[in-house]
Amino acid sequence: MSGPEDPLLITNVAVAVDLAIFTIREQRLQLLLIRRSLAPFRGRWALPGGFVLPGEDIDAAAERELREETGVQRDAAHLEQLATYGAPRRDPRGRVVSVAHLALVADAATPVAGTDAAESRWADVADLPHLAFDHDRIVADGLDRARAKLEYTTLATSFLPTTFTLAELRSVYEIVWGAQLDPANFRRKVLASDGFVVPAAGGPTVHGRGRPAARYEAGGATVLHPPLLRPT
Amino acid sequence: MSGPEDPLLITNVAVAVDLAIFTIREQRLQLLLIRRSLAPFRGRWALPGGFVLPGEDIDAAAERELREETGVQRDAAHLEQLATYGAPRRDPRGRVVSVAHLALVADAATPVAGTDAAESRWADVADLPHLAFDHDRIVADGLDRARAKLEYTTLATSFLPTTFTLAELRSVYEIVWGAQLDPANFRRKVLASDGFVVPAAGGPTVHGRGRPAARYEAGGATVLHPPLLRPT
DNA sequence: ACAAAAGTGTTGCCCTTACACCCATGA
DNA sequence: TCATGGGTGTAAGGGCAACACTTTTGT
């Protein structure tokens, strides 16, 4: 940036990170919420988050919060910056700029302990309460981003454990998009997408009823050319 | 955000906006640079930007900076948040978090006055100097975003005046992507994309040598389903 | 008349879609 | 052996790339 002299006297701002952490549980897309135990919006549901510590990188703060709230390591989940929200009166305490992040985690990440939050829970995105601050907007933006990125990235695998079947992968798309996909065509598309999935080393099968499915794990790729497929 | 008590005592941070402003001039993709007249990185080229004023919304600050540097109004250009950069030591003066924005403007926006910047110029993106702070990274991210968005949005029109020919529109893609496109197929794709362009009301033609081209203006759409076309 | 750019037609190929069909397992 | 889901085959249709062709202007 360029700018006038002595910036540090001009603004007194707190920088926070907020996390929209999505997972798929019980065949539904869910979002991690915490119930605020402190002053503004006390008792209301909100996104997990916290202030960036002095000397701490923003990305590191997001990673730390993710770990604190879900116990998940960075490499076991997807974490990316979403957008920054800085309307002057978005926080009644004063000027707080929030760098919102989008996280996708596997179901296993479930547990949550209450540190600064009184309580926390996974909530269906289809049935969310009205959240504190501008968190409704952040969630909406995060959802848009997640849905859009499924189209042209391998992000869907972030919702699954390290090995998975193609049916499980397909179910991620179906749940996030709310649309049915043809199993045969889905399989072909995914297998034809270079680097999307590779056969899992270990056991080739596992299972319930019907023919056992082969297990796969994420390939190296993150972006798909051309895009995989579209919802409808 | 949630978090500990009395956040405003915890961090003392300045929030800035930096702008990666792209245009197409002289058949090349160019970026607006300013030469720093003040302390850190004095004399070095950098992105235009400045601090967010107390009580000012971040988006408003970006809009103000864009106007100050190019004279362009918001509705005559594209302006969107890019990402936020907040590494602890990215600014030697202290903790400065920068919310970078991406702007695309038409050639007409050229002029620039030197207010807090000693000097400013349009530089070819293919031949940029090493910039101050982490601005090299911001420019790279902005370029990636711009190139990617041409594929599935109507953003290309932001580089052009209110009315334009399909050849001019095609040339935007060719310059930004560095690839040639078939004029016949390009025309069909664009005209088939609902809401991308509409015939311009006024004069149907204008021009140099060869058959005069019809003029169009931007339709209402911003996102294209399916994506327009890909580079190669 | 010729060059040059705008704009239209056409053809062959590939990818997708839809759905029929076979395979492997649990009960 | 039947039900259930995994996995393969295939034929029809649509979209797209490539390129030939026609139109309209300036010189």
Side-chain angles (χ1 to χ4, degrees), chain B residues 25-145:
Chain B
R25 290 174 71 240
E26 303 160 357
Q27 302 293 308
R28 290 191 300 279
L29 182 61
Q30 303 193 327
L31 174 71
L32 186 62
L33 298 182
I34 59 113
R35 193 197 288 275
R36 292 186 54 78
S37 59
L38 295 173
F41 299 98
R42 176 168 180 182
R44 280 271 283 284
W45 293 100
L47 294 179
F51 291 97
V52 175
L53 305 177
E56 184 183 41
D57 196 347
I58 290 179
D59 295 339
E63 197 175 328
R64 172 174 57 75
E65 289 291 339
L66 177 63
R67 211 178 331 107
E68 285 176 11
E69 304 289 346
T70 66
V72 171
Q73 304 298 326
R74 201 214 195 306
D75 55 339
H78 175 81
L79 178 60
E80 70 175 46
Q81 217 186 85
L82 181 58
T84 297
Y85 300 80
R89 308 229 62 84
R90 60 178 294 279
D91 190 317
R93 288 169 292 187
R95 193 78 199 261
V96 178
V97 168
S98 168
V99 183
H101 289 249
L102 169 67
L104 310 182
V105 303
D107 191 357
T110 327
V112 185
T115 53
D116 51 17
E119 189 187 349
S120 69
R121 66 179 244 252
W122 290 106
D124 283 16
V125 296
D127 184 30
L128 291 176
H130 178 50
L131 304 180
F133 304 104
D134 50 3
H135 290 187
D136 289 329
R137 155 73 75 128
I138 296 177
V139 170
D141 291 348
L143 259 180
D144 285 349
R145 171 82 68 85

Side-chain angles (χ1 to χ4, degrees), chain A residues 2-232:
Chain A
S2 76
E5 315 66 14
D6 210 357
L8 302 183
L9 296 179
I10 295 180
T11 52
N12 190 351
V13 181
V15 177
V17 293
D18 287 314
L19 271 65
I21 307 173
F22 294 94
T23 195
I24 292 183
R25 290 174 72 241
E26 302 159 357
Q27 303 293 307
R28 291 190 300 278
L29 182 61
Q30 303 195 327
L31 174 70
L32 185 61
L33 298 181
I34 59 111
R35 193 198 290 274
R36 291 185 54 77
S37 59
L38 295 173
F41 298 98
R42 177 168 180 183
R44 280 271 281 285
W45 294 98
L47 294 180
F51 291 98
V52 176
L53 306 177
E56 184 183 40
D57 196 348
I58 291 178
D59 295 339
E63 198 176 328
R64 172 175 55 79
E65 288 292 338
L66 177 63
R67 210 176 332 108
E68 285 177 12
E69 303 290 347
T70 66
V72 171
Q73 303 299 328
R74 204 217 193 303
D75 57 337
H78 174 82
L79 179 61
E80 70 174 48
Q81 217 186 83
L82 182 58
T84 296
Y85 301 79
R89 308 229 63 85
R90 62 178 292 279
D91 189 318
R93 289 167 293 185
R95 193 77 198 262
V96 178
V97 168
S98 169
V99 183
H101 289 249
L102 170 67
L104 310 182
V105 303
D107 191 355
T110 328
V112 186
T115 54
D116 49 20
E119 189 185 348
S120 69
R121 66 179 243 250
W122 291 105
D124 283 17
V125 297
D127 184 31
L128 290 176
H130 178 49
L131 303 181
F133 304 105
D134 49 5
H135 289 187
D136 288 330
R137 155 74 74 126
I138 296 177
V139 170
D141 291 347
L143 259 180
D144 285 350
R145 174 91 129 249
R147 279 199 251 258
K149 277 205 155 188
L150 283 201
E151 281 184 37
Y152 62 96
T153 69
T154 61
L155 229 79
T157 58
S158 305
F159 282 118
L160 298 171
T162 43
T163 91
F164 48 84
T165 69
L166 293 184
E168 288 164 348
L169 183 61
R170 174 165 48 85
S171 133
V172 170
Y173 285 87
E174 292 178 335
I175 290 169
V176 175
W177 284 345
Q180 293 295 110
L181 298 177
D182 182 305
N185 296 332
F186 179 83
R187 138 184 305 277
R188 265 186 293 254
K189 282 231 174 188
V190 169
L191 295 181
S193 299
D194 214 44
F196 194 168
V197 298
V198 294
T205 64
V206 181
H207 210 224
R209 69 181 167 297
R211 172 172 170 177
R215 302 198 73 78
Y216 294 84
E217 58 192 30
T222 57
V223 187
L224 298 175
H225 305 285
L228 189 66
L229 23 65
R230 315 212 61 258
T232 56

